[in-house]
Amino acid sequence: MRNAFKTVVASILLAGGLLAAGQALADEPYPSHVVQVIVPFPPGGVADLTGRPVTAGLSKILKQSFVLINRPGAGGSLGASMVVNAKPDGYTLLMALASVSTNPEADRVAGRPATFELNQLVPIALVSADPTILMVRAESPYKTLADLVADAKKRPGEINYSSSGNYGTYHVATEMFTHVAGIELKHIPYGGGGPALNAILAGQVDVGLLGPSVAIAQIKAGKMRALASWGGKRLASLPEVPTLKELGYNVEYYIWSGLFAPAGTPEPIVATLRNAMKGVVVDDDFKMVMDKLETPIVYMDAPEFKQFWDEDAKRLIEVVRKIGKIE
Amino acid sequence: MIAQSLSDLWYGFSVALMPQNLMWSFFGVLIGNLIGVLPGMGALTAISMLLPLTYSMHAVPAILMLAGIFYGSQYGGAIGAILLNLPSHPPHAVSCLDGYPMTQHGRGGAALGITMIASFFAASFGITVMVFASPLLVQIAFKLGPAEIFSVMLLGLLAGATMSRGSPLKGVAMTVFGLLIGVVGTDVNTGAQRFTFGFTELADRVELVALAMGIFGIGDFLRSVNRIHFAGHEAKVRFKDMRPTKAELKRSFMPMLRGTLIGTLFGAMPGTGPTITTFIAYAVERKVSRHPERFGHGAIEGVASPEAASHSKTQVDFIPTMSLGIPGDSVMALLLGALLIQGITPGPQLITEHADLFWGLIASFWVGNVLLIILNVPLIGLWVKMLQVPYRFLFPSALLFIAVGVYSTNNSLFEVTEVLFFGVVGAILMALEFPVAPILLGYVLGPLVEENFRRAVLLARGDLSVFVTRPISAAFIAAALALIVGQLVLGWRARRSLKRMQPA
């Protein structure tokens, strides 16, 4: 009986103690528990591959688990809308690609309500930005971009290009260029980047786009040739490939990846994350993984990233509107 | 050329058999097998789960382990399909058709045995093709454009639609139902969303795993609740029952061979997917069989051929993945991602730049398959014992795993709702004696047929003659026509002979 009484008292004290500890936990500085980083694409893709070293780096610096969760669907819209609808407490973040800028507009153009809006996301840091590259097969008659443009002017709409899908990276980038160049190329959408690459290699289409690391692999093997890149300056890894800008076409396009939080996330939490990201990008482990992925780190802190994103999104949205609804 | 390949392969074996590599390979096969057996968990789940582990590993053991997981889970999937009618790996849905009836007759162990033999044989053949004919297959693959793929798929659809037992009308109806389900989602050509009814989750089509598990597994469960006490044969399982008999082995040999060839053929067509391959293998088997009426009631040929096809297809699928850097499906994409993490860009230069990895991987395929056999000879008994767990325990636990597994495909509850929905649909259809397998066939083939048709016409600027002017495509179209005409003639003759018999 006595013992039972003791047990009860002890339990009450213990429960009280735990409660107090729990209270203290809630007041503890961010992050006090596991943080989810949503990647709106399947495992193995660009967002997933760059997202993993980012979460590893954040876990290391903030001494809290940052867990990457793949939530693919609807070209990245599903994961993004999940993040904007989450509680803006810094415990649900988004690792997005450039395509996040065009998701809402593509929905509207197709006559659907957008699943989220760009102002529902707050940029934290840009992690990488790779220009797309215009590629042809090694046997292609086009030796330079000028050859392609000249032929396209002669036969408007008869030269085919493959893309990963409608309003996707390659589609938007190509349309951006053809509008400025005043030419028309025929868009053949394939379901994904792999089939689009296969279509170029197999000669089903005449030209196509690739990211730098895949492009380098194909060039090295002598299977393909690069005509131009969408970058602001020439790539260090492909110094002989001119940019569209130097060839007189004022367009830029990057496959970028960056970290976002939902709008309304408290300023101190955003500041913590920004600081942590500053540390992540100079971390040796992080640099090593990015190096292996052959993805150059292009870091921008929130204010700079915001400016870049605003400009980029404006450019891209304009292109999506020009493409319009596809019949 | 051949001597070079052999010496490279020899080198590959020396890499794969290094104790450390062998250990990781075994670990992968074991984990894959165990995860694959759990209903709802396929290769994709298993590899995604263990992908982070490879960050701190060397490239060769990391890839060997992932390849092992891939194999193991594939074989594990066959176990669920045959013993419990649960195709967690959708290509195995076809193995449910005859594998599950075999289980109900107490021959589940034999079905697993033949699966093991067929998959080992087919994988070995696929590996040989990989070693000696990779460049040739790549050339063939390039010859197959959208027009050719359309024609092949059309033939597949026609062959598949007539394969179900029972009323042909019901079979065709279910194929069409599957085609309709396949239409749901974003149209690749225009980006328009069709029949999504405002669910953004449906933009990427109905989840294949949810559909397969729903109409087969859950549907069957719902029908069996309170009716049976044990999933398998209630009699005690004897060791003798676990081995295929001599007659069964003999009957399975030709189907196994045909299945392997079909799988290899489809392997040369990237993007066609293993599910179609197994359906076609089954359909062919039924067409050439002298006793087609036995199919669907536990014909061992109906297990051997699709299982062989699935394994040789998977094997040959590695060719575009490794030599071109083009993944055939989502699992291959994941493996490519794993290579990228290791700083290896898959592409034409992979074989020369990373010879140890490439040849080590090929050799490990074979080693992995041997390990799988060693592992499963004693395990088959254990799996079959699982059937003696009372149904009231087995059913809820399987349901739980299905829910977890389907959830993990996209980390979303929507897919769990989908699997339940299709479970109810499947149960109703089964009660009305509609065959459910053609639904899956229609679902997988429909979008491929449509996409490639439209892409071919787009490339030909609207000229429909492209399907008959390209020789390979024309051949398949002709075969499809022959199939229809043949079917009509057969039907007409049967009716005539019936008429002639009546007056007599």
Side-chain angles (χ1 to χ4, degrees):
Chain A
M1 201 55 203
R2 195 76 187 251
N3 269 345
F5 177 71
K6 261 190 188 164
T7 316
V8 169
V9 171
S11 329
I12 290 173
L13 283 177
L14 190 69
L18 277 179
L19 214 67
Q23 194 59 42
L25 210 66
D27 290 338
E28 241 180 65
Y30 172 86
S32 62
H33 59 96
V34 176
V35 180
Q36 298 188 335
V37 178
I38 308 289
V39 165
F41 295 96
V46 182
D48 182 64
L49 292 176
T50 47
R52 284 181 194 269
V54 167
T55 50
L58 285 172
S59 308
K60 192 163 138 189
I61 288 173
L62 291 175
K63 311 231 173 332
Q64 186 56 256
S65 293
F66 280 70
V67 182
L68 184 147
I69 293 173
N70 298 99
R71 187 68 186 82
S77 291
L78 266 187
S81 67
M82 190 177 154
V83 172
V84 302
N85 291 321
K87 211 168 142 198
D89 54 5
Y91 289 97
T92 313
L93 305 174
L94 177 72
M95 185 77 201
L97 300 183
S99 56
V100 72
S101 318
T102 48
N103 279 338
E105 196 59 32
D107 272 340
R108 267 192 288 270
V109 165
R112 291 186 293 268
T115 49
F116 70 100
E117 293 299 338
L118 295 188
N119 61 16
Q120 289 178 291
L121 288 169
V122 186
I124 291 176
L126 183 75
V127 177
S128 70
D130 261 350
T132 44
I133 299 173
L134 190 65
M135 305 288 290
V136 291
R137 256 175 316 142
E139 306 87 60
S140 165
Y142 309 126
K143 303 281 180 220
T144 63
L145 186 74
D147 296 345
L148 172 68
V149 173
D151 196 29
K153 285 205 164 133
K154 244 183 279 162
R155 319 183 283 142
E158 280 184 41
I159 299 169
N160 301 318
Y161 75 95
S162 63
S163 88
S164 51
N166 282 296
Y167 311 112
T169 309
Y170 300 159
H171 183 201
V172 171
T174 312
E175 292 300 322
M176 202 179 226
F177 159 63
T178 54
H179 279 299
V180 171
I183 57 174
E184 194 191 323
L185 299 178
K186 183 82 186 161
H187 178 218
I188 314 284
Y190 284 77
L197 166 61
N198 189 53
I200 316 171
L201 282 173
Q204 290 166 20
V205 296
D206 307 292
V207 293
L209 273 65
L210 292 179
S213 60
V214 184
I216 292 166
Q218 297 292 342
I219 293 169
K220 260 200 218 158
K223 300 275 180 197
M224 291 177 115
R225 190 163 51 232
L227 296 185
S229 101
W230 268 256
K233 54 179 194 295
R234 290 190 181 204
L235 277 166
S237 47
L238 286 172
E240 68 288 349
V241 178
T243 65
L244 286 170
K245 271 197 155 165
E246 27 175 311
L247 296 173
Y249 307 103
N250 188 20
V251 288
E252 273 181 67
Y253 187 93
Y254 298 95
I255 311 168
W256 53 258
S257 65
L259 190 66
F260 293 84
T265 305
E267 195 42 49
I269 292 179
V270 172
T272 307
L273 286 168
R274 279 172 56 190
N275 269 326
M277 281 307 292
K278 226 172 260 172
V280 168
V281 292
V282 294
D283 181 73
D284 282 336
D285 287 340
F286 179 78
K287 283 201 280 194
M288 196 185 73
V289 177
M290 294 298 277
D291 195 45
K292 275 186 180 173
L293 293 174
E294 288 189 59
T295 307
I297 301 167
V298 180
Y299 167 70
M300 282 185 198
D301 191 17
E304 204 190 341
F305 179 24
K306 171 112 183 54
Q307 202 187 347
F308 168 83
W309 189 38
D310 285 346
E311 271 173 38
D312 195 59
K314 216 177 99 192
R315 275 199 298 257
L316 301 185
I317 287 171
E318 211 175 299
V319 179
V320 170
R321 283 196 188 133
K322 267 187 202 148
I323 297 171
K325 190 171 179 177
I326 299 155
E327 297 300 338
Chain B
M1 178 71 196
I2 286 180
Q4 178 63 33
S5 296
L6 280 177
S7 82
D8 286 341
L9 192 64
W10 183 249
Y11 170 63
F13 273 107
S14 72
V15 174
L17 290 175
M18 283 196 308
Q20 188 212 4
N21 291 345
L22 192 64
M23 188 193 83
W24 283 111
S25 210
F26 180 75
F27 175 72
V29 168
L30 180 68
I31 293 285
N33 201 339
L34 295 181
I35 296 180
V37 170
L38 298 177
M41 310 269 186
L44 200 61
T45 322
I47 297 179
S48 322
M49 267 162 60
L50 287 151
L51 189 64
L53 195 69
T54 63
Y55 270 100
S56 48
M57 288 170 68
H58 276 292
V60 176
I63 294 299
L64 296 197
M65 179 185 80
L66 292 178
I69 297 176
F70 181 48
Y71 274 126
S73 59
Q74 228 190 0
Y75 181 74
I79 298 172
I82 290 170
L83 296 185
L84 296 172
N85 203 25
L86 284 175
S88 36
H89 182 225
H92 291 307
V94 180
S95 311
C96 291
L97 297 181
D98 278 288
Y100 188 54
M102 278 182 80
T103 301
Q104 288 171 323
H105 300 145
R107 299 294 301 154
L112 288 184
I114 208 72
T115 299
M116 197 165 73
I117 296 168
S119 55
F120 180 72
F121 175 80
S124 304
F125 184 82
I127 295 166
T128 317
V129 169
M130 256 191 105
V131 172
F132 297 107
S134 270
L136 183 73
L137 271 177
V138 167
Q139 285 311 313
I140 296 177
F142 280 162
K143 293 260 184 312
L144 301 171
E148 285 78 15
I149 297 201
F150 162 76
S151 309
V152 176
M153 294 299 129
L154 188 68
L155 179 62
L157 195 60
L158 288 171
T162 53
M163 77 178 196
S164 60
R165 69 195 153 96
S167 152
L169 194 62
K170 280 184 170 172
V172 172
M174 286 300 100
T175 311
V176 173
F177 181 51
L179 288 173
L180 286 178
I181 299 176
V183 169
V184 174
T186 308
D187 170 28
V188 172
N189 284 81
T190 64
Q193 288 184 5
R194 304 186 290 197
F195 303 106
T196 58
F197 301 104
F199 290 105
T200 320
E201 288 87 348
L202 284 177
D204 291 304
R205 311 188 53 208
V206 170
E207 176 60 44
L208 173 61
V209 179
L211 179 68
M213 295 297 273
I215 56 174
F216 279 90
I218 307 234
D220 188 52
F221 274 161
L222 292 178
R223 300 252 303 137
S224 310
V225 170
N226 286 339
R227 283 216 224 156
I228 54 174
H229 300 289
F230 293 97
H233 204 54
E234 290 192 32
K236 209 168 169 293
V237 187
R238 285 160 305 174
F239 186 73
K240 178 165 125 307
D241 297 330
M242 290 173 211
R243 271 183 311 183
T245 61
K246 263 218 176 96
E248 281 173 329
L249 279 175
K250 216 174 137 194
R251 278 217 315 267
S252 312
F253 183 73
M254 283 315 283
M256 194 166 85
L257 209 63
R258 282 189 287 263
T260 304
L261 289 177
I262 290 171
T264 311
L265 216 70
F266 274 81
M269 286 183 264
T272 46
T275 310
I276 297 157
T277 316
T278 57
F279 268 99
I280 305 239
Y282 186 85
V284 166
E285 231 28 74
R286 215 175 153 242
K287 281 267 175 310
V288 301
S289 170
R290 254 171 280 164
H291 304 282
E293 73 284 350
R294 279 182 35 247
F295 280 75
H297 299 286
I300 199 157
E301 300 94 314
V303 178
S305 175
E307 284 298 327
S310 144
H311 279 81
S312 59
K313 156 86 176 158
T314 329
Q315 208 48 257
V316 178
D317 255 351
F318 270 96
I319 294 176
T321 308
M322 301 297 285
S323 62
L324 297 174
I326 297 168
D329 59 19
S330 47
V331 178
M332 294 290 162
L334 201 56
L335 286 174
L336 279 192
L339 283 174
L340 283 171
I341 292 168
Q342 297 293 342
I344 295 164
T345 313
Q349 81 299 1
L350 179 86
I351 301 175
T352 46
E353 275 183 16
H354 300 280
D356 58 336
L357 183 103
F358 182 80
W359 293 105
L361 182 65
I362 291 198
S364 93
F365 286 155
W366 202 76
V367 173
N369 274 292
V370 173
L371 290 176
L372 208 54
I373 287 200
I374 298 174
L375 197 64
N376 275 288
V377 166
L379 279 183
I380 287 184
L382 187 73
W383 301 134
V384 176
K385 282 246 164 58
M386 185 165 76
L387 295 177
Q388 288 172 316
V389 174
Y391 208 67
R392 64 177 190 280
F393 297 126
L394 193 67
F395 168 56
S397 15
L399 260 186
L400 174 77
F401 280 118
I402 291 173
V404 173
V406 179
Y407 175 85
S408 71
T409 53
N410 278 334
N411 286 323
S412 119
L413 269 178
F414 189 83
E415 277 71 19
V416 182
T417 324
E418 261 179 41
V419 81
L420 283 178
F421 173 79
F422 285 114
V424 175
V425 170
I428 295 172
L429 291 174
M430 275 185 227
L432 298 174
E433 286 177 350
F434 278 98
V436 289
I439 302 180
L440 208 57
L441 179 80
Y443 169 83
V444 185
L445 270 181
L448 271 175
V449 169
E450 188 205 346
E451 241 175 63
N452 283 295
F453 175 79
R454 290 171 69 180
R455 196 169 290 140
V457 174
L458 201 60
L459 282 167
R461 302 289 179 269
D463 184 6
L464 283 175
S465 69
V466 63
F467 298 107
V468 288
T469 49
R470 295 180 60 124
I472 303 177
S473 169
F476 282 108
I477 295 274
L481 281 176
L483 189 71
I484 298 176
V485 172
Q487 203 77 13
L488 286 176
V489 170
L490 276 180
W492 178 68
R493 265 202 204 147
R495 217 172 304 156
R496 211 174 54 165
S497 65
L498 205 70
K499 259 189 203 151
R500 220 181 283 161
M501 266 154 71
Q502 270 163 351

